[in-house]
Amino acid sequence: MKTIKLTAFIFLTLFFMNSTFTDAAAAVKISYEVTFPEAQAHYADIEMKISGLKQNSIDLKMPVWTPGSYLVREFAKNIESFSAEANSKAIPSPKINKNTWHINTAGLSAITVKYRVYCFEISVRTSFVDASHGFLSTTGIFIYPDKMLNNPSTIKIIPYKGWTTVSTSLEAVNGNQFTRFSPNFDILFDSPIEVGNQDVFGFTAAGVKYEVCMVGGGNYDKEKLKVDMAKIAEQETAVFGENPNKHYVFIVHNHQRGGGGLEHLSSTVLGASRDNYSNASGYRNFLGLVAHEHFHLWNVKRLRPIVLGPFDYDNENYTTDLWIAEGFTAYYQNIILRHAQLIDPETYLGAITGEINTIENQPGAKVQPLAEASFDAWIKSYRPNENSANTGISYYDKGAAVGMLLDLEIINDTKGRNSLDDVMKYMYNTYYKEKKRGYTDKEFKQGLEKFAGKNLDAFYKNYIYGLTPLNYNKYLAYAGYNAVDEAATTNDPSLGVITSEINGKRIVTGVVRGSAAWVDGINVNDELTAVDGTPVTDITTILNGKKVGDKISVAVVRDGLPLTLNVTLLRNNRFKYKVGSLPDVTAEQMAVRKKWLGLVE
């Protein structure tokens, strides 16, 4: 009885303490002012005001990573000149760990914090500022009060001279584009901001107003983009049955050479090559990027693995399901273009061919299971080294292939009644809309089984948690296709090295697992100088006249010292698959094909 009473007392004490803190946090008001007094030197200056304080101290934090990009990037490394003041007097603000500043607020109801952020990393996930524009990747710009992630904030932007436009999914305050409101920090950290003189145009699709802001120029055709991007938005909305946004923003950074994208709740940031829009393959690649990142507004931003939200901005957030979150999205980016009639079936099959070859020619596919690749994204995916291809597999590539196999399995087993689309819609409605949470590994598997009408234990054991090679032809055959290795009958010799010409020298940058170079000890960073006494001038001809089994002498320079290695040539075991139609396609296979590829009569 005493234990029960004591437990109740502790519970009530903690409850009231938590309630008091929650009420105090709710009363706190937070605002930011962003200026660019030295934009040409790549700085954004931030003034943060916090009022309504009642606690004796407050910790201010900078996120260490940005959702959607699974790497701890230590954004606090770019902060300098951090200071705090109250009542126009400086107050101590010691840094207590890598991304936290502690401020004693006893007797203070309001404080002002000032700091500068160096912004000079061009990517879709990091901030960049120069005299022409400012891109604010918000996780690396705005510090937040610990335990106040649910607090709203306002952001006032004072543009650099000549800048006239702000593009972001954050709502404008009283119609002022330079003042924005965020309901909480999860939304603020999911809403990048572009400031400058970007070219802005828009379209409406699926009842949603879309804004496209082009930064850096380019040979794009606005009217064509409006039509084609709208088709993508409509087709993807059809998968899930609704588009949860009222306003969605594409921020496109056009560079001489660019690529990549990062998804957000109501926007995305894309990297593109400014002169590739008039090129057929370049334009298709851009539309694929649009389809990929836009599909994420459902898959991962709302329909998500359970650990990906609420976010822990201090640490890694591990999941074994990035093969769904990213891999399925990579699958859909191409099938959506096909269903929207933006690419023909042959182009789509070509994309599949490339995907299969990428997977099968990566030795790491035989080493790292797909679920493990997802889990290890934080330490491997974004930090590849010279041996990564030998030890790992991309959850994008293999996840996309697995998505294709599952789609074909469901279509075939249900005689075209269901597809992977039905799984995605069901999971979205069940977990995002009804349960208002993410899904577990088991729950997503159950969703797949519900529409496949069969147990998928063996599929998961072999392809998700195991290393069984993907049986492409079993599943492609459902639609009357197969994948043929056109290199299967060749017997060409191979050294098994990847090289680059650096300062006029032929340098080994990669060694393929199991190859002749791997077995006989050629190393990354070796300079290839001669083969059988003939100087290496053209890497493509060094094995002319050689055959499998020949023993050759390879001269290298390693760490400045000459070295000769005896190497026995092995067969070039690279695959060269091509996906094509089976000769005699049955009516059942044709029905699957029509459903899968969105073929119209």
Side-chain angles (χ1 to χ4, degrees):
M1 184 65 71
K2 288 182 179 180
T3 303
I4 294 175
K5 287 183 178 180
L6 182 58
T7 302
F9 173 76
I10 294 172
F11 172 79
L12 289 171
T13 300
L14 291 174
F15 173 80
F16 285 118
M17 287 175 62
N18 185 62
S19 297
T20 301
F21 180 83
T22 302
D23 292 341
V28 172
K29 293 184 177 180
I30 303 166
S31 65
Y32 300 90
E33 183 174 277
V34 184
T35 57
F36 305 91
E38 291 188 293
Q40 83 290 346
H42 319 298
Y43 279 96
D45 285 35
I46 317 297
E47 180 177 283
M48 178 187 191
K49 292 185 176 181
I50 309 174
S51 61
L53 293 171
K54 295 181 180 179
Q55 62 266 47
N56 290 327
S57 65
I58 189 169
D59 287 341
L60 300 180
K61 289 178 170 287
M62 171 68 83
V64 303
W65 70 288
T66 190
S69 183
Y70 306 100
L71 176 67
V72 171
R73 297 182 185 275
E74 311 293 21
F75 292 122
K77 68 186 178 184
N78 294 318
I79 289 183
E80 61 182 74
S81 304
F82 188 99
S83 65
E85 63 180 47
N87 301 320
S88 300
K89 294 181 180 179
I91 54 176
S93 54
K95 194 173 186 180
I96 58 174
N97 61 36
K98 65 180 182 179
N99 68 319
T100 308
W101 292 260
H102 180 78
I103 301 175
N104 186 332
T105 56
L108 299 176
S109 62
I111 61 172
T112 298
V113 173
K114 298 179 181 179
Y115 58 96
R116 313 189 80 200
V117 184
Y118 182 66
C119 308
F120 195 57
E121 184 176 351
I122 296 177
S123 82
V124 296
R125 64 192 70 85
T126 50
S127 298
F128 181 89
V129 173
D130 67 8
S132 67
H133 78 111
F135 172 63
L136 306 179
S137 181
T138 46
T139 44
I141 294 292
F142 298 109
I143 59 174
Y144 69 95
D146 190 25
K147 298 182 176 60
M148 295 188 191
L149 285 172
N150 290 325
N151 281 53
S153 60
T154 57
I155 302 92
K156 182 178 181 180
I157 298 168
I158 309 297
Y160 187 63
K161 57 185 178 183
W163 294 358
T164 61
T165 306
V166 174
S167 295
T168 179
S169 58
L170 294 172
E171 292 299 319
V173 176
N174 296 325
N176 182 354
Q177 68 161 330
F178 290 101
T179 303
R180 302 287 176 150
F181 173 78
S182 178
N184 57 56
F185 279 94
D186 284 327
I187 290 177
L188 177 58
F189 293 150
D190 214 9
S191 305
I193 303 169
E194 176 68 32
V195 193
N197 296 302
Q198 56 270 28
D199 182 17
V200 178
F201 59 92
F203 59 90
T204 299
V208 177
K209 291 183 178 180
Y210 283 85
E211 175 186 340
V212 182
C213 78
M214 290 287 192
V215 183
N219 60 2
Y220 52 87
D221 182 331
K222 291 184 192 179
E223 297 308 312
K224 184 172 177 58
L225 281 173
K226 289 178 185 179
V227 172
D228 292 345
M229 293 173 76
K231 288 179 180 178
I232 292 169
E234 295 279 3
Q235 195 66 49
E236 293 185 342
T237 299
V239 173
F240 294 92
E242 70 169 21
N243 192 317
N245 289 298
K246 294 181 179 179
H247 174 219
Y248 188 94
V249 180
F250 288 97
I251 298 174
V252 186
H253 291 146
N254 294 300
H255 301 287
Q256 183 176 8
R257 288 182 297 275
L262 186 63
E263 70 274 7
H264 297 283
L265 196 67
S266 301
S267 63
T268 185
V269 184
L270 310 179
S273 298
R274 66 171 63 93
D275 295 325
N276 267 6
Y277 293 96
S278 60
N279 175 282
S281 62
Y283 186 64
R284 283 196 303 270
N285 289 339
F286 178 74
L287 291 182
L289 182 60
V290 168
H292 183 104
E293 300 305 337
H294 185 263
F295 194 82
H296 270 315
L297 78 86
W298 294 276
N299 191 32
V300 88
K301 298 314 300 183
R302 291 172 173 87
L303 170 61
R304 57 176 175 77
I306 198 164
V307 301
L308 294 184
F311 294 114
D312 177 355
Y313 293 104
D314 283 339
N315 302 287
E316 298 87 344
N317 292 222
Y318 292 100
T319 175
T320 57
D321 289 330
L322 292 182
W323 63 274
I324 301 169
E326 288 291 355
F328 278 21
T329 303
Y331 168 64
Y332 269 100
Q333 74 182 55
N334 288 317
I335 201 69
I336 286 293
L337 295 188
R338 172 62 220 131
H339 287 180
Q341 311 298 310
L342 290 169
I343 58 174
D344 58 31
E346 290 70 29
T347 300
Y348 178 69
L349 294 178
I352 292 174
T353 296
E355 194 171 83
I356 292 174
N357 284 318
T358 295
I359 297 167
E360 296 307 311
N361 285 312
Q362 187 156 335
K366 299 178 178 64
V367 176
Q368 185 183 49
L370 189 52
E372 182 183 297
S374 298
F375 193 84
D376 279 349
W378 294 93
I379 57 172
K380 293 186 177 182
S381 182
Y382 289 89
R383 288 179 175 143
N385 61 24
E386 67 282 348
N387 200 42
S388 292
N390 292 319
T391 63
I393 189 65
S394 165
Y395 49 80
Y396 285 86
D397 296 331
K398 191 171 180 180
V402 164
M404 178 184 73
L405 303 192
L406 286 167
D407 199 8
L408 286 165
E409 180 75 54
I410 294 169
I411 294 171
N412 181 72
D413 289 353
T414 63
K415 300 187 184 303
R417 290 190 308 275
N418 300 325
S419 70
L420 189 59
D421 290 5
D422 297 285
V423 177
M424 303 304 286
K425 183 177 180 180
Y426 166 78
M427 295 297 291
Y428 172 80
N429 286 331
T430 300
Y431 291 95
Y432 170 68
K433 294 184 69 177
E434 296 175 15
K435 297 182 183 293
K436 303 186 187 304
R437 64 169 175 84
Y439 57 80
T440 64
D441 298 21
K442 181 179 179 181
E443 288 167 342
F444 201 95
K445 177 173 175 288
Q446 289 172 340
L448 289 166
E449 292 172 335
K450 174 181 175 68
F451 289 92
K454 66 194 298 182
N455 181 286
L456 293 175
D457 285 354
F459 188 97
Y460 265 67
K461 179 182 178 182
N462 292 333
Y463 299 149
I464 310 305
Y465 302 118
L467 294 170
T468 303
L470 298 180
N471 189 349
Y472 302 103
N473 283 336
K474 170 186 174 181
Y475 298 90
L476 287 170
Y478 294 153
Y481 291 110
N482 69 344
V484 177
D485 178 15
E486 297 179 330
T489 59
T490 62
N491 195 38
D492 299 324
S494 172
L495 198 55
V497 295
I498 302 164
T499 67
S500 295
E501 186 172 335
I502 301 173
N503 296 326
K505 300 176 181 179
R506 182 56 59 177
I507 306 298
V508 176
T509 56
V511 177
V512 179
R513 181 186 289 271
S515 68
W518 175 283
V519 172
D520 290 321
I522 296 177
N523 289 183
V524 167
N525 296 328
D526 284 352
E527 177 194 351
L528 296 181
T529 57
V531 172
D532 285 345
T534 301
V536 173
T537 56
D538 183 353
I539 191 67
T540 64
T541 62
I542 62 172
L543 298 184
N544 282 357
K546 310 294 183 183
K547 62 182 183 297
V548 174
D550 283 354
K551 298 183 184 298
I552 62 174
S553 173
V554 179
V556 304
V557 175
R558 181 178 296 171
D559 191 28
L561 300 176
L563 178 67
T564 300
L565 300 166
N566 295 317
V567 177
T568 300
L569 292 176
L570 301 178
R571 177 181 177 274
N572 186 340
N573 60 3
R574 286 188 66 80
F575 297 97
K576 188 181 179 182
Y577 282 102
K578 183 176 182 180
V579 176
S581 182
L582 291 169
D584 299 306
V585 179
T586 67
E588 290 79 7
Q589 289 172 320
M590 185 56 69
V592 172
R593 181 182 294 188
K594 288 180 178 179
K595 173 78 171 181
W596 180 41
L597 297 183
L599 300 179
V600 294
E601 299 293 343

